[in-house]
Amino acid sequence: MTQERPAYYELGYGTDFGLTALTALTERLGLPGADTGPAAALKCAEELADGSEGEEAVELGEDARRLLASELPERILRTVWLASTGNAFDPADHGMTCRGWLERISEVSTARLRQNKRSYAPPPVRPVRDAGLCQAVVAELRATAPALAGASALPDLVDALERVVTGGDGDLGMRLFLRALKAHAVPVPHEHYRRLLALGREFGFPAGAVHDGLHIVWPQVSATRQGVSGDFGLSQLARLFTAGWHYRTPRAAVENAVTYDGYERPPGSEAAIVWEDTRRMLDSGLSDDTITVLWLAATDRGYSIDECGVGGREWLEQIVEVCEQHLTAVAPAHFPVASAVHTDTGDAVLREIRDMAPLAAGKAISPAFRPLEGTAVMGALEQVVTRVDPDLGFRLFLRTLEVLQLPLTEERYARYETLSSRFQYGEDHLLFSIDHLVQRS
């Protein structure tokens, strides 16, 4: 974060915050039948300031005072305020200047913070003037200028936003730029969105502050690993079914899991990957018992389908159905087709499974309740590698090592890193699963 500020996500923010969170709230005043007066707008400010037991008033007040401390003219302040609220509330319509309105917001923030600490006094403002970051924001602003200017009737909006970035505060200017894009539903190409997301990280924004509400033009859905850091697909779905999962039904748990695409992947991406893994298992001809063994091992018997009278193949069919329903809803043009299996890694994965088989022989999944012997699991994993997909077999193998808590040498782990790289896993895939099992000297 700039100027030794803590990153906003480190402060607990998951979405937008401060003045730009207020402009998002204020946008609702533009709905038909809504009260558009100052009292309603001030109530929005009070509502936001009261968030997190008053802690959200900190950023709200800081943002307002950054603009007040700048030398930006009234015309600029009013333009960016109107742009970020979608013209829902104009202080000028009620006899106020925008500076006067910002002072009211600052007062609301201070009053709320004094409920927590009576002696609270607003600290000096700390505008972000990092030249490199500000120039990067200006470059993205100019790249969007034609679309933004075409979507808004406000004169000189792009110039006003640039003035806030260069003459006021780069941090707040970036967020007001994002709010203007969102309020005017400006289509943002995927590559441009990725640059905005990366720039937001430089400022310490949570990803939701960039993503949420932005009209992103996503590429076609595919079973890509781009943007995935940890596990994914069927092995990740099984991980979510370990003891303690909290959903009314197993199907509801799958429905929730396949919606998680993160912030960098098109909607439907996780469903496409889970569908591909699951469809391959079903089409491979693996026996019902083998599929059941694989599921019980990967979930550490968190959802014992054998105890619930559900066969392995029946359960996978339900997963496929959920994936297809979700893909129809979010990516109706997508027709799921499994990509070609790369078998050139199969022998290497088999060697690693067989290398760990002696250690697994002395272990069991769920030893206290209907134990599943490690030897049986390793045999089932070999079938996945040879009859389904070495990639999926390796991911389920890593998951099994995690469940059985088998110790790893540094040499074995180095080989797993090589295989992970060949399968194009994210850099955190092993870190989040088996890194803690390595016995380092």
Side-chain angles (χ1 to χ4, degrees), residues 41 117 158 245 289 349 399 423:
K117 184 179 180 181
V158 174
W245 56 280
D289 287 345
V349 176
R399 176 63 189 147
F423 286 127

Side-chain angles (χ1 to χ4, degrees), residues 12-274:
Y13 291 107
T15 56
D16 208 352
F17 50 88
L19 191 66
T20 44
L22 174 60
T23 61
L25 282 177
T26 307
E27 192 176 4
R28 70 191 184 192
L29 302 184
L31 297 174
D35 182 357
T36 59
L42 201 61
K43 186 176 180 180
C44 290
E46 291 169 347
E47 179 183 330
L48 178 64
D50 198 43
S52 302
E53 298 183 345
E55 288 302 311
E56 299 205 23
V58 174
E59 306 301 339
L60 178 62
E62 169 81 7
D63 281 352
R65 290 190 296 275
R66 289 186 211 177
L67 290 180
L68 289 169
S70 73
E71 297 181 357
L72 295 171
E74 175 68 17
R75 174 182 61 83
I76 298 294
L77 297 178
R78 179 170 176 265
T79 296
V80 298
W81 171 264
L82 291 177
S84 60
T85 62
N87 299 305
F89 172 70
D90 185 353
D93 289 343
H94 305 280
M96 283 188 291
T97 64
C98 199
R99 280 190 173 274
W101 173 237
L102 290 171
E103 287 170 356
R104 296 284 298 276
I105 294 171
S106 176
E107 290 166 1
V108 165
S109 168
T110 300
R112 181 59 185 86
L113 288 165
R114 283 177 178 164
Q115 291 182 33
N116 296 347
K117 184 179 180 181
R118 294 179 61 183
S119 61
Y120 173 81
V125 293
R126 301 169 295 167
V128 174
R129 299 282 175 77
D130 182 286
L133 282 177
C134 290
Q135 288 171 8
V137 176
V138 169
E140 297 304 331
L141 178 57
R142 290 177 179 175
T144 318
L148 185 54
S152 172
L154 290 166
D156 302 321
L157 171 57
V158 174
D159 176 69
L161 288 167
E162 187 171 329
R163 291 277 300 275
V164 174
V165 174
T166 58
D169 180 88
D171 176 319
L172 180 54
M174 170 71 174
R175 285 185 281 124
L176 286 168
F177 166 40
L178 290 168
R179 274 298 308 153
L181 292 174
K182 296 172 185 179
H184 293 87
V186 176
V188 178
H190 182 231
E191 285 305 312
H192 188 190
Y193 163 67
R194 292 184 65 190
R195 296 198 304 269
L196 292 175
L197 197 61
L199 187 52
R201 284 194 290 267
E202 291 290 317
F203 282 106
F205 300 166
V210 179
H211 170 277
D212 295 353
L214 199 64
H215 180 23
I216 305 162
V217 183
W218 292 104
Q220 184 177 0
V221 174
S222 66
T224 178
R225 286 98 188 273
Q226 187 175 25
V228 180
S229 57
D231 205 353
F232 55 88
L234 188 62
S235 50
Q236 171 64 8
L237 176 66
R239 180 188 302 275
L240 298 178
F241 274 90
T242 52
W245 56 280
H246 301 290
Y247 288 92
R248 188 171 57 85
T249 65
R251 187 184 181 93
V254 178
E255 289 171 348
N256 179 74
V258 300
T259 64
Y260 185 72
D261 300 307
Y263 293 104
E264 297 190 14
R265 296 188 292 166
S269 295
E270 185 63 22
I273 296 178
V274 175

Side-chain angles (χ1 to χ4, degrees), residues 288-357:
D288 198 71
D289 287 345
T290 298
I291 292 174
T292 299
V293 165
L294 291 164
W295 177 261
L296 296 178
T299 61
D300 197 11
R301 268 201 179 275
Y303 172 42
S304 296
I305 55 177
D306 57 338
E307 288 290 300
C308 300
V310 179
R313 299 187 70 83
E314 178 188 355
W315 174 234
L316 293 192
E317 290 284 6
Q318 291 184 42
I319 294 172
V320 165
E321 184 178 307
V322 170
C323 291
E324 290 176 348
Q325 288 179 349
H326 181 66
L327 285 165
T328 299
V330 301
H334 175 71
F335 183 75
V337 177
S339 57
V341 173
H342 298 286
T343 59
D344 57 329
T345 53
D347 289 343
V349 176
L350 280 176
R351 283 195 298 271
E352 298 304 337
I353 293 174
R354 290 166 180 170
D355 185 54
M356 291 299 290

